[in-house]
Amino acid sequence: MKIDVLTLFPAMFAGPLDESIIQRARTEGALELKVINLRDYTHDRHKTVDDRPFGGGPGMLLKPEPIFEAVESLRREKTRVILLSPAGRKFNQAIARELAQQEHLLLICGSYEGFDERIREHLADDELSIGDYVLTNGALPAMVIIDTVTRLLPGVLGDDESSREESFSQELLEYPHYTRPSEFRGMKVPEVLMSGNHAEIAKWRAEQAKLRTKERRPDLLK
Ligand code: 9D3
C-alpha cells in the first residue's frame, strides 16, 4: 500500500514510524510512506497556507489553493483522499480494515485552523477523527491511522498475531493474563490457572472478560 501524508509539520513524523513493525513493513515494501510539506505547494514568498474567514470571526482557515494543487499532483487512479479533523466520523478497527483494502491513501492533516469548506466538498472522499478530544493538529491522528492500517497489511504481522487479529471483533475486553513466577512479592496467580483443568480455565476467563467489560466498557455490551 502507498500512503501519502500532507502536513504542515512533517518533522513530527520522524520517529514514530521509523521503529518496530512499521519500519519493517516499510523496508519490506508492504508500506510505501511519503510525508509531504503542504508549504511545498505554495507560490508566495511567505509560503502562505491560511487566511481569514469570510464573514468574520476568530481564527484562520487552511486556504484551498495549496491543498487543491497538492491533491491534484499526488492523487492517482485509485486514491482515497481522507481529511483528518475533529469533525470527521470516528476512526475504529472496522474503518482500519476497510482502509487496509485500498491501494493508495492520501491523508490530509488539519491544523487548529480548520479547512475551507470547498476542500471538504470537492477533494475529500472521507473525513476522520480519532476520538473526542482536542489535539493541536492532525499529525498524531495521521500516525495513529497509519500504524493501525499498516499492521493489517498482508505479511506485516506473523501468522500467530494475524489469526488472533482476524478473530478479534472488539466484542469483549481481554481477561487477565499472568506469567511466571506464580508468586511475586506475595501476589499470587489465581489458583484456577494452575489447575490444569482447561474447562474451568475457559469458564474463569469468559467470566473475567465479561466482568471487566461490564465495569470498564459497558458500551461494548449493548
Ligand atoms: C474551536 C473548534 N475546534 C474544533 C474542536 C477547532 C479545532 C481544534 C483542533 C480544529 C482542529 C484542531 C486540530 N485537530 C485535528 O486536526 C484533528 C483531531 C483532533 O483534534 N482530535 C481527534 N481527531 C482529530 S483528527 C484531526
Side-chain angles (χ1 to χ4, degrees):
M1 156 173 293
K2 183 163 170 55
I3 304 182
D4 289 325
V5 190
L6 198 57
T7 174
L8 285 171
F9 307 104
M12 287 184 68
F13 290 79
L17 305 173
D18 299 333
E19 296 284 346
S20 175
I21 295 170
I22 307 303
Q23 181 58 278
R24 197 178 62 216
R26 295 171 69 182
T27 57
E28 290 176 0
L31 171 66
E32 191 187 331
L33 177 69
K34 226 171 65 188
V35 179
I36 300 124
N37 192 337
L38 177 59
R39 292 193 198 276
D40 292 348
Y41 291 90
T42 59
H43 300 288
D44 63 311
R45 286 197 304 127
H46 298 108
K47 302 186 191 279
T48 310
V49 293
D50 57 2
D51 207 340
R52 290 156 40 214
F54 279 121
M60 300 279 274
L61 295 172
L62 292 174
K63 62 201 266 95
E65 299 94 317
I67 296 186
F68 269 75
E69 273 199 41
V71 171
E72 283 159 2
S73 141
L74 295 166
R75 82 176 323 155
R76 304 189 310 199
E77 183 117 24
K78 291 184 179 161
T79 301
R80 178 95 162 252
V81 179
I82 300 172
L83 230 49
L84 302 178
S85 97
R89 63 186 180 118
K90 206 183 297 172
F91 183 65
N92 60 27
Q93 196 66 20
I95 296 174
R97 288 190 184 119
E98 184 198 320
L99 297 184
Q101 309 294 313
Q102 309 288 316
E103 269 178 37
H104 181 205
L105 304 180
L106 173 48
L107 305 180
I108 306 177
C109 299
S111 72
Y112 200 74
E113 316 197 338
F115 297 96
D116 180 290
E117 190 64 19
R118 290 166 290 192
I119 295 165
R120 200 167 260 131
E121 284 178 353
H122 297 282
L123 288 183
D125 299 312
D126 209 342
E127 183 167 353
L128 298 176
S129 154
I130 62 163
D132 297 335
Y133 35 81
V134 182
L135 299 164
T136 54
N137 65 71
L140 288 168
M143 289 185 254
V144 165
I145 290 169
I146 293 164
D147 188 283
T148 310
V149 169
T150 300
R151 63 181 285 289
L152 298 178
L153 299 175
V156 171
L157 292 186
D159 291 343
D160 231 51
E161 281 172 292
S162 275
S163 58
R164 278 183 57 161
E165 169 63 34
E166 273 158 35
S167 64
F168 172 84
S169 56
Q170 189 69 277
E171 43 198 14
L172 290 180
L173 299 183
E174 290 203 10
Y175 52 77
H177 303 282
Y178 296 87
T179 185
R180 291 186 291 179
S182 61
E183 183 175 342
F184 171 67
R185 297 186 181 176
M187 298 174 278
K188 292 196 168 95
V189 171
E191 208 52 64
V192 59
L193 295 180
M194 266 117 46
S195 68
N197 184 334
H198 294 291
E200 278 301 310
I201 292 171
K203 185 168 144 243
W204 181 85
R205 285 176 167 170
E207 284 165 5
Q208 291 293 315
K210 192 91 173 275
L211 262 171
R212 182 169 274 195
T213 307
K214 195 167 142 232
E215 193 64 33
R216 301 183 187 180
R217 292 293 307 275
D219 58 299
L220 294 179
L221 293 171
K222 280 156 202 159

